[in-house]
Amino acid sequence: MNGTTRTKDRTLVVTGASGRTGSRVARAAEAAGMTVRAASRATGFDWADRTTWAGALRGADAAWLAHPADVGAPGTAEAVAGLAEAALSLGVRRLVLLSARGEDQALPAEEALRASGADWTVVRAAWFAQNFSEGPLAEELRRGELVFPAGEVAEPFIDVRDIADVAVAALAGGERYAGRTLTVTGPRLLTWAEAVAEIAEAAGRPLTYRAVPADAYRETLTGFGVPDREAAFLTEVFATLLDGRNARVENGVREVLGREPRDFSDVVREAAADGAWRE
Ligand SMILES: NC(=O)c1ccc[n+]([C@@H]2O[C@H](COP(=O)([O-])OP(=O)(O)OC[C@H]3O[C@@H](n4cnc5c(N)ncnc54)[C@H](OP(=O)(O)O)[C@@H]3O)[C@@H](O)[C@H]2O)c1
């Protein structure tokens, strides 16, 4: 083989296929001629229930692994190790894991995949630009104010479509990307305040960002009904990710795709046109 893999007619299991990244991975894989098998609770696959794994994996060629909630959550490494073992026993050797850049808590899950014997690729992503337009932060922002413990740190928010394109290119790249950890970011650093200011301008509404200390944020989460342990975990992860270590742009998208990553402004313009921040 010359280092590339025919993607056409191959079946890709896409975990989290109804989520932010999985939906785009599914679209990019279909555009590359792959058959997509959506794997989430809606289709009978549950990360928390091993008896559902074989049904999702049997007969597939590769799998995109996106653990729900957080790749660094307690138990994720065990789940990734178990799922990889199940995949290998069914002949599914090519596994690509979505991880988070600079998240110490995610390292055990990455290591579990590397140690599994699979043809693995880890995609370490920056903060999703779509966190502002889809999911709980978007809901909060629609109400007028985003409260978050990000201080004035800068982040190169990534368009999840670029993560999807990298994932599919890594699958198509065969041996070239097996055994590799790819770090992907957007092209430009923005603080949370700058990001929200861009969104406010595009949405034509006075939306604001209010920085809070980690402890206060933890209390806010528990106030919203998030269980205390989960709130403590999330606050710790955010404190890790937002301590300045990630305030730099990296070139994974350019390396794999041979083009620049999409800019935050593009995501914001399109999401605003779709009414993402409409009252
Ligand atoms: N947000 C970021 O900025 C960022 C950055 C880097 C990495 N990540 C990583 O991205 C991952 C999350 O991906 P995402 O944001 O694209 O997902 P998401 O939008 O939160 O969607 C979650 C997906 O997982 C499925 N799901 C939820 N619980 C499940 C379960 N028990 N078993 C099987 N499927 C389940 C959901 O579908 P059903 O409801 O049908 O099950 C849905 O498709 C996490 O591992 C996180 O660490 C996030």
Side-chain angles (χ1 to χ4, degrees):
M1 200 161 60
N2 65 5
T4 58
T5 300
R6 200 167 51 91
T7 45
K8 220 168 163 35
D9 303 329
R10 282 164 55 92
T11 296
L12 175 68
V13 176
V14 178
T15 63
S18 53
R20 282 173 290 233
T21 45
S23 57
R24 275 72 174 204
V25 170
R27 228 169 287 159
E30 276 168 354
M34 301 179 86
T35 299
V36 167
R37 189 182 294 166
S40 72
R41 291 167 304 180
T43 63
F45 168 82
D46 191 338
W47 275 95
D49 180 358
R50 286 168 184 253
T51 65
T52 65
W53 296 353
L57 293 163
R58 190 170 287 111
D61 300 292
W64 163 257
L65 307 181
H67 195 271
D70 198 280
V71 62
T76 305
E78 292 75 11
V80 167
L83 193 70
E85 189 185 344
L88 287 171
S89 75
L90 293 163
V92 186
R93 299 200 52 80
R94 192 73 180 91
L95 303 178
V96 182
L97 174 70
L98 173 60
S99 187
R101 183 179 71 132
E103 184 177 324
D104 297 338
Q105 296 85 347
L107 297 177
E110 294 185 1
E111 195 42 45
L113 182 66
R114 289 190 194 104
S116 68
D119 296 334
W120 61 269
T121 303
V122 170
V123 179
R124 280 186 185 157
W127 279 79
F128 303 164
Q130 279 83 355
N131 288 338
F132 293 100
S133 55
E134 299 169 28
L137 297 188
E139 232 166 84
E140 200 182 328
L141 198 46
R142 261 194 298 278
R143 290 196 291 270
E145 183 184 57
L146 178 63
V147 177
F148 207 69
E152 292 176 15
V153 78
E155 171 73 20
F157 301 104
I158 185 166
D159 185 332
V160 292
R161 291 173 295 184
D162 284 335
I163 301 175
D165 288 348
V166 164
V168 171
L171 288 163
E175 290 162 16
R176 184 160 173 211
Y177 296 110
R180 295 274 313 272
T181 299
L182 306 168
T183 303
V184 295
T185 74
R188 182 163 65 104
L189 286 170
L190 289 111
T191 63
W192 259 251
E194 288 166 342
V196 172
E198 276 205 27
I199 291 168
E201 191 174 341
R205 292 183 54 200
L207 307 172
T208 53
Y209 161 67
R210 180 157 59 88
V212 288
D215 284 351
Y217 191 67
R218 179 177 165 176
E219 279 171 30
T220 306
L221 287 177
T222 47
F224 282 143
V226 177
D228 199 40
R229 271 170 64 166
E230 200 182 323
F233 166 74
L234 287 174
T235 307
E236 184 196 305
V237 167
F238 294 152
T240 308
L241 294 175
L242 301 170
D243 67 1
R245 71 182 65 193
N246 284 332
R248 62 174 194 281
V249 168
E250 303 197 46
N251 73 350
V253 172
R254 204 174 319 117
E255 183 198 338
V256 178
L257 300 177
R259 63 159 174 81
E260 290 302 308
R262 295 174 175 97
D263 194 77
F264 186 73
S265 300
D266 298 338
V267 178
V268 168
R269 199 178 332 101
E270 290 167 32
D274 286 347
W277 300 290
R278 217 168 274 152
E279 267 178 287

